[in-house]
Amino acid sequence: MGLKVKDIKSLTRGVKRSNKYYEERLDTTDEWILTRTGIENRYITEETPSEMAKDLADQLEFDRDKVKALIVASFSSDVRIPSIAGILHKRLELNNSCFSVDINAACAGFVSAMIMAERMLNPGEEAILVASEQVSRYIDFNDRGIAVLFGDGCAGIVVEKNDKLWLSDASTYGDDRVIVMDDNDFIQMNGQEVFKFAISKVPESLERLLERADLTGADIDYVAAHQANVRILEQISKRTGIDEDKVLKNIRERGNTSAASVPTLLYEYRDKFKDGDKVLFTAFGAGLIVNSVLMEW
């Protein structure tokens, strides 16, 4: 059993901030950032995750009677109680039987929501999956290693349970210090350790899915991966044998938008996907977590 993507929406909010902004304020250069990360621009907004999520949800097209799950992925939520999902449930006038919840799996949040939805739904039922992140609220803009990487974003999809190819692979490696953000603090990250983890564990996750499906990298049409660093995306291609052109990218113009990166990527490439395409989704985040999906479009 799998999921059919019925609608995709994305928001572009705030100010487009180029590497020149950081070049003028930090000990860095546009060339240094672009060469090491693949990032040239990102968007920084004053809109909160709940505000963006409400605007995004209003644009989604769905069958109210079929929606059985509403999942919002966000580590940067501006509300504690109720959840953003609870707020959206009321705004969208969904049925009382609709399961609504926020999840925090950091950058792996959206793919985590996909896995949850597929397991929860019965054939023909729908779910609304939203990722909304205002990462800039938790960045020390004097920290060169963090400030240049992240942007804000919000995107979401409507999915329906179907009977097409679907396999998931979820792993947690139990590291609580490589990426951390305590109360009233900024994001702290050991970038080198994250990079080594990602180029090792993400390809391993994708290879497990390919093996289970009895497929090779040549059989894959597209890879929608978390946009953290262009060198990680290149390593995904190299280590799985999937052509680099099939690994979708928008990191140059968006930076790392945490959980919002994968659905934003889907929106920007929405016209590429065809019925029957085999698509790999993968994302990694604090925890350390790697969640991946192989699905037929």
Side-chain angles (χ1 to χ4, degrees), residues 217-229:
D219 297 310
I220 298 302
D221 294 289
Y222 298 105
V223 178
H226 171 50
Q227 306 287 292
N229 185 303

Side-chain angles (χ1 to χ4, degrees), residues 164-287:
K164 290 190 175 183
L165 172 66
W166 176 280
L167 293 171
S168 63
D169 182 81
S171 301
T172 302
Y173 293 89
D175 190 309
D176 62 354
R177 300 314 299 173
V178 172
I179 309 173
V180 65
M181 185 183 73
D182 297 323
D183 284 346
N184 303 314
D185 201 357
F186 297 117
I187 298 170
Q188 306 292 325
M189 181 174 68
N190 184 326
Q192 290 185 341
E193 289 301 314
V194 172
F195 181 81
K196 288 190 294 184
F197 171 83
I199 64 172
S200 171
K201 299 304 182 184
V202 172
E204 288 177 8
S205 177
L206 298 181
E207 287 168 350
R208 285 193 293 270
L209 289 175
L210 291 173
E211 183 177 359
R212 288 168 57 193
D214 195 23
L215 299 173
T216 69
D219 297 310
I220 298 302
D221 294 289
Y222 298 105
V223 178
H226 171 50
Q227 306 287 292
N229 185 303
V230 73
R231 293 185 296 163
I232 295 173
L233 300 176
E234 292 167 352
Q235 286 297 314
I236 289 174
S237 170
K238 181 179 179 180
R239 299 194 180 202
T240 61
I242 300 171
D243 289 347
E244 189 173 343
D245 289 345
K246 296 180 179 180
V247 181
L248 305 178
K249 302 178 183 70
N250 68 356
I251 189 170
R252 189 181 186 109
E253 293 301 315
R254 296 283 179 176
N256 181 344
T257 58
S258 187
S261 74
V262 171
T264 301
L265 190 70
L266 288 183
Y267 177 79
E268 293 182 3
Y269 285 91
R270 63 193 182 280
D271 293 333
K272 278 187 170 290
F273 301 109
K274 305 183 303 295
D275 187 54
D277 280 351
K278 293 180 178 63
V279 183
L280 282 168
F281 294 80
T282 188
F284 62 93

Side-chain angles (χ1 to χ4, degrees), residues 24-276:
E24 294 169 357
R25 292 164 174 79
L26 300 172
D27 181 19
T28 191
T29 66
D30 171 56
E31 181 183 7
W32 188 94
I33 299 169
L34 186 58
T35 301
R36 286 162 177 77
T37 70
I39 301 169
E40 185 173 10
N41 297 295
R42 71 288 288 154
Y43 289 87
I44 305 297
T45 183
E46 295 184 359
E47 286 192 63
T48 66
S50 63
E51 290 171 338
M52 289 190 289
K54 286 185 283 188
D55 289 346
L56 187 284
D58 288 342
Q59 299 179 30
L60 289 172
E61 298 180 8
F62 54 89
D63 186 331
R64 184 171 286 103
D65 292 332
K66 290 185 177 181
V67 176
K68 300 300 180 182
L70 169 58
I71 305 173
V72 177
S74 180
F75 85 85
S76 57
S77 176
D78 52 304
V79 294
R80 298 299 182 193
I81 299 175
S83 64
I84 296 177
I87 295 170
L88 297 187
H89 183 281
K90 178 179 180 180
R91 188 182 188 91
L92 299 177
E93 299 180 342
L94 298 176
N95 292 326
N96 294 338
S97 59
C98 174
F99 178 86
S100 303
V101 67
D102 286 4
I103 62 170
N104 174 8
C107 298
F110 183 78
V111 179
S112 304
M114 292 177 65
I115 293 172
M116 291 175 64
E118 194 277 337
R119 294 179 181 180
M120 293 176 63
L121 298 179
N122 294 316
E125 294 179 343
E126 295 184 4
I128 297 172
L129 311 179
V130 175
S132 189
E133 299 280 29
Q134 190 187 15
V135 189
S136 59
R137 296 177 64 216
Y138 300 103
I139 291 176
D140 178 358
F141 283 98
N142 294 313
D143 183 345
R144 182 185 67 172
I146 297 291
V148 302
L149 300 177
F150 291 97
D152 301 327
C154 179
I157 66 176
V158 177
V159 294
E160 179 182 80
K161 185 71 169 281
N162 64 16
D163 60 359
K164 290 190 175 183
L165 172 66
W166 176 280
L167 293 171
S168 63
D169 182 81
S171 301
T172 302
Y173 293 89
D175 190 309
D176 62 354
R177 300 314 299 173
V178 172
I179 309 173
V180 65
M181 185 183 73
D182 297 323
D183 284 346
N184 303 314
D185 201 357
F186 297 117
I187 298 170
Q188 306 292 325
M189 181 174 68
N190 184 326
Q192 290 185 341
E193 289 301 314
V194 172
F195 181 81
K196 288 190 294 184
F197 171 83
I199 64 172
S200 171
K201 299 304 182 184
V202 172
E204 288 177 8
S205 177
L206 298 181
E207 287 168 350
R208 285 193 293 270
L209 289 175
L210 291 173
E211 183 177 359
R212 288 168 57 193
D214 195 23
L215 299 173
T216 69
D219 297 310
I220 298 302
D221 294 289
Y222 298 105
V223 178
H226 171 50
Q227 306 287 292
N229 185 303
V230 73
R231 293 185 296 163
I232 295 173
L233 300 176
E234 292 167 352
Q235 286 297 314
I236 289 174
S237 170
K238 181 179 179 180
R239 299 194 180 202
T240 61
I242 300 171
D243 289 347
E244 189 173 343
D245 289 345
K246 296 180 179 180
V247 181
L248 305 178
K249 302 178 183 70
N250 68 356
I251 189 170
R252 189 181 186 109
E253 293 301 315
R254 296 283 179 176
N256 181 344
T257 58
S258 187
S261 74
V262 171
T264 301
L265 190 70
L266 288 183
Y267 177 79
E268 293 182 3
Y269 285 91
R270 63 193 182 280
D271 293 333
K272 278 187 170 290
F273 301 109
K274 305 183 303 295
D275 187 54

